[in-house]
Amino acid sequence: MTDIKMKFYRPFITENFFWDFPTHFNLKKVSEFLGLEIDPTTQYISDSAKTIMRNDGVYWLIQKKHSDDIVALISLSDLDLVKKQAALMITFKGLNDDEKHEISQRLLVFLKDQISLEEIEINQLDHIVQENFTNNGYTVNNNNLLKRS
């Protein structure tokens, strides 16, 4: 059994970004980013908090520093720390390749070094992120799995 608790992995701060759980952001801003009305946004935030507290995954919204613009969402779901696997989804809005790379680097450190994932299920992962993972010890198979090599 593992002692890793997802609720402690916040906030992350990189050179240009601030990462935190959806509960720590303005509801209207989250609603705008997700493209949802307030009620479904509230439900999404509540569900993400429950997932984090159950240690079944982690969700971060990423905000540019010195602005209130949310520019990315990372969700790690179906987390199994014993089998060292999870499913990963990332949504970027209006970021250039360097910014995506910065986010991808921090995510790689988290997934590879901090929680030691061996298998990551992906679906349409941004090419910048996928390249970063494949250049740093993961291979992609045709079942949409990143596997640590």
Side-chain angles (χ1 to χ4, degrees):
M1 201 60 199
T2 178
D3 290 337
I4 295 171
K5 298 284 183 235
M6 291 302 111
K7 67 183 178 184
F8 297 124
Y9 288 101
R10 62 151 296 270
F12 286 168
I13 298 166
T14 62
E15 185 181 349
N16 296 296
F17 300 100
F18 178 78
W19 306 34
D20 212 336
F21 299 158
T23 52
H24 293 266
F25 287 88
N26 174 291
L27 180 60
K28 187 174 184 295
K29 289 287 182 191
V30 176
S31 166
E32 288 169 4
F33 178 82
L34 295 175
L36 297 173
E37 298 295 321
I38 294 296
D39 287 348
T41 301
T42 303
Q43 188 63 52
Y44 178 85
I45 291 170
S46 172
D47 290 346
S48 71
K50 289 174 189 166
T51 297
I52 294 165
M53 295 320 274
R54 284 193 311 261
N55 222 42
D56 291 337
V58 66
Y59 292 75
W60 293 288
L61 286 170
I62 301 177
Q63 186 175 46
K64 279 193 173 181
K65 281 185 182 172
H66 315 298
S67 111
D68 58 359
D69 295 335
I70 298 171
V71 295
L73 165 66
I74 296 177
S75 72
L76 192 67
S77 58
D78 302 323
L79 180 64
D80 186 328
L81 291 166
V82 175
K83 292 181 180 173
K84 298 183 180 292
Q85 61 192 30
L88 174 67
M89 277 186 45
I90 304 174
T91 304
F92 291 127
K93 282 205 177 155
L95 293 177
N96 66 38
D97 287 355
D98 288 341
E99 291 170 323
K100 290 176 183 178
H101 185 74
E102 178 182 330
I103 289 168
S104 154
Q105 273 299 109
R106 181 61 185 95
L107 182 62
L108 178 69
V109 167
F110 175 72
L111 298 177
K112 184 178 178 186
D113 302 333
Q114 292 182 265
I115 66 170
S116 305
L117 289 188
E118 302 284 334
E119 281 190 6
I120 305 164
E121 183 184 327
I122 56 171
N123 189 6
Q124 298 180 333
L125 199 59
D126 184 273
H127 75 280
I128 298 290
V129 178
Q130 189 165 317
E131 240 172 60
N132 193 31
F133 275 74
T134 55
N135 289 338
N136 287 285
Y138 286 87
T139 55
V140 181
N141 72 17
N142 52 5
N143 295 331
N144 285 336
L145 268 182
L146 280 171
K147 286 182 112 102
R148 202 147 152 189
S149 35

